[in-house]
Amino acid sequence: MKKKIILQSFVISLVTALVVFVSGIVTYYSVQESRIKKEIVSDAGVFSDVIKDDLSALERVTDFGNARVTVVDETGNVLFDSGRSGGESMDDHSGREEIVAALNGSPKVVKRYSDTLKKDMYYYAVAVETAEGLRVVRVAESAADVWSFGGMALLYVAAALLIAFVLSYVLAKNLSDKVETKLVGLRDALKSASSGDYEIKPCDTSDALDFSIISELNGLASSIKDSYETLRKEKAKLDSVVYNMTQGLIVVDKNLNVVLRNSVAQQLTGKAKTGVNLINMIDDGELFDRLRAVLESGENMTFPYEYKGKDLVVNAFRLKLGADDDLGVILISDVTKEKELARQKSEFFANASHELKTPLTSVQGLSEVLLSRTDENSSDYKYIKRIYTESVRLHNIVMDMLYISRLESREVARNRDDVDLRALASESLQSYKEEIEAKGLKVTVEGEAHVEGDDHNAYECVNNIIGNAVHYNKQNGYISVTLSETDGNAVFVVRDGGIGIAKEHLPYICERFYRVDKSRSKQTGGTGLGLSIVKHVVALYGGTLDIESIEGEGTAVTVSLPLKRADK
């Protein structure tokens, strides 16, 4: 940097000096040339006055200075020449440019090379009438006389240039030293900032530029410090969230090298180090291949997986940060305990249902016998009827519980019959004919749809949906059943204009025994297991269930089932 500053300053000074020098030389030459031209014009006028009366008067002049004076007649013969010696003869001058110009009445200064003197000369001639006739007086002066007075001036100029070069070097060196000192100070300040020292540097107010630079540097250091503190706090928050997650988190780069993992992921995989490849962290070839396929495809996928005796739910997706800076994110949830609890709950549910079935059947049968033998007008009749009604309701609940248990364990019939969903819907609506007529409901059935499966399972699904649409409808409401086959699926949609379901209840309505309005459910005789049965049947067939509802306006239930069963 220092050498560059000195060199650049010196070059600038040199170029400037040379420009000034050349300009001076050109100016000097122009001035001297103009002076000579004026001198020869003036001398021509003087000498022409001298010869007007006597041509021989020129012969008595002993000093013509630097000028050469020549007199010729109108035919070009040389009558006098101050530079001629003895009887030296001279050429005819009638063709000389300055002579011709003088004779034509338009005298001018002419510069040309003289064959006689072997050098460049300035010439000027005027015509004058004398007693002896028309004569032409010509005055000439050497072009070299332009520099006759410039030798000393050039010496002074050269000396001035030398002094200017020396001074420019000294000044450039001093300037570079000052600049270097300031740059070193700035470098040290920036080094301090880059190493984490954000202490405010003192400002020198005597130099406006220094003050401005240091002020900006202080502002930058303060801004960096604030940003660093903000980032540090945000990183601390992020680290706290990441490492206290209940899910395992693994982040990999585009080459599947692990760049981040939390403690849960470490416990699940047993690998503590980052900077290793994913295949070295997850020592399960099948799981690694699935994760790699998902991350390379860029899809978002969630799937269950059994890993080292644990039941996991794995969610993998890719974050696109830039062209070459994508990250793969893997979230791992250990659901071993949850699955075990669900299994125990299901077993208890099945066992309890099975154990309750026999005594409830006995209670229902005995109460029915007592009811048939008791007079309707007796005081005991209503109690026996209550026992019978409740035993029937409990029996229905137990049967539904047993059916759900069979669905969960997949012990239900898995036939591959052709099931006509429209026929099932019509059958279900017929079973609710009395209630439909009592409420004055308008019922429409449109479309056709068939699936491959078991008729009983499909009927349970259809009947529970239609039953809810009937039970929870309004007086003079409507039920619309629409069936279609689209993209390899049979779509079954039931819409009603009933009481609807509040938004906060929608996530839970497929849970066992969940009831939005318990009092109304008791009136309708519902078990609270209908939609749970629907959910399990749909899952059995690999279909989807979607429920939309607006409180006070109605509900729409959409079931989509594959036309062909995928299980073998």
Side-chain angles (χ1 to χ4, degrees), residues 457-565:
N457 295 333
Y459 179 77
E460 287 293 329
C461 176
V462 171
N463 187 60
N464 276 291
I465 296 174
I466 291 178
N468 284 340
V470 173
H471 298 327
Y472 300 102
N473 218 313
K474 297 177 182 178
Q475 195 69 27
N476 299 319
Y478 72 90
I479 297 175
S480 170
V481 180
T482 306
L483 301 105
S484 62
E485 294 180 1
T486 306
D487 298 329
N489 291 305
V491 182
F492 174 71
V493 183
V494 177
R495 294 183 176 86
D496 66 66
I499 62 174
I501 305 170
K503 185 176 181 181
E504 62 268 20
H505 295 296
L506 286 175
Y508 312 106
I509 57 177
C510 289
E511 295 181 3
R512 296 167 184 165
F513 301 114
Y514 187 86
R515 299 185 181 186
V516 176
D517 186 344
K518 295 182 180 179
S519 61
R520 188 178 183 94
S521 296
K522 186 172 290 188
Q523 292 174 6
T524 60
T527 64
L529 296 171
L531 287 178
S532 182
I533 291 174
V534 171
K535 181 182 74 172
H536 282 84
V537 170
V538 170
L540 180 69
Y541 282 83
T544 59
L545 171 64
D546 181 63
I547 302 175
E548 298 177 354
S549 185
I550 300 176
E551 189 174 13
E553 296 185 14
T555 303
V557 181
T558 303
V559 172
S560 179
L561 300 174
L563 297 177
K564 299 289 185 180
R565 290 186 58 171

